[in-house]
Amino acid sequence: MKRVNVRGGAGWGHKLPGANWGVNESHTEATFHDVPIHASFQMHSEEMWRGGRNGPLHAAWLAEKHSFPIYMQQKYPDVPASKAFPRKKTDTLWPFASGPVYSDSFCYMVALAITTGYKHIHLDSVFLQNEIEVYTEAPAFCMWLTIAAAHGIKVTEWPSRFLAPFSYGYEPRT
């Protein structure tokens, strides 16, 4: 089964079967743990990533040659591995008249996994826990996971954050 591991910043401490996709500066954890990267996503605006949004060394890392694509808003001549994210293709997946909503890099990752034929999306240490992430990013991310499931894609995660069983009214909130 063609599997992609969507990895959060802390999700690189172990090797998993399938392709490994990371975000922003998560390459430092992947390198530290000797886990291969198959794609990276830097979806912030050019102003943000050139301005140090992901640390002072991130822009220099982007300028290096890499054996994997770095998905960005567009192809940049000074970022050799940059690849324009295929929004026209992924936008067609959104099922509502308004949208699509890409509230964070993880949304782009799931959308690309759907359009590139993955049959299993595994979330590894994707938490979205601070106030901005919880209120503005998590709802659309959950929608993209639902769209993936509707396309017959198996979605799993470890540790559990988004797929933990819960029945409102039948059990206490924790």
Side-chain angles (χ1 to χ4, degrees):
M1 178 182 291
K2 189 175 174 185
R3 171 180 161 149
V4 63
N5 303 304
V6 171
R7 299 186 105 149
W12 295 87
H14 50 279
K15 294 184 177 169
L16 295 169
N20 298 302
W21 290 0
V23 295
N24 307 325
E25 70 280 8
S26 67
H27 60 87
T28 57
E29 286 294 313
T31 302
F32 179 79
H33 293 289
D34 194 32
V35 175
I37 302 171
H38 299 96
S40 187
F41 290 71
Q42 176 44 269
M43 297 303 297
H44 291 107
S45 68
E46 180 178 8
E47 178 182 304
M48 289 182 77
W49 61 262
R50 287 197 193 275
R53 162 65 170 79
N54 296 107
L57 305 176
H58 188 61
W61 178 81
L62 289 171
E64 297 172 7
K65 290 185 180 181
H66 300 286
S67 61
F68 51 86
I70 301 172
Y71 288 95
M72 303 179 83
Q73 291 183 14
Q74 65 184 49
K75 170 83 174 143
Y76 295 95
D78 60 332
V79 180
S82 66
K83 186 171 184 176
F85 185 84
R87 279 216 37 202
K88 286 184 182 179
K89 188 173 185 179
T90 60
D91 285 358
T92 64
L93 297 169
W94 193 255
F96 302 110
S98 64
V101 179
Y102 299 96
S103 59
D104 58 29
S105 296
F106 297 119
C107 293
Y108 291 108
M109 296 165 88
V110 171
L112 187 64
I114 297 168
T115 62
T116 53
Y118 282 94
K119 301 297 180 198
H120 182 180
I121 298 171
H122 178 72
L123 310 177
D124 193 341
S125 299
V126 176
F127 297 114
L128 302 180
Q129 292 181 314
N130 70 41
E131 284 186 17
I132 291 172
E133 293 170 343
V134 167
Y135 294 108
T136 65
E137 296 179 10
F141 179 60
C142 289
M143 178 56 76
W144 281 106
L145 295 176
T146 302
I147 293 168
H151 280 80
I153 298 170
K154 179 180 180 179
V155 179
T156 58
E157 71 174 341
W158 184 91
S160 188
R161 156 72 169 95
F162 295 101
L163 305 177
F166 174 74
S167 297
Y168 173 78
Y170 290 88
E171 56 193 281
R173 291 184 182 176
T174 57

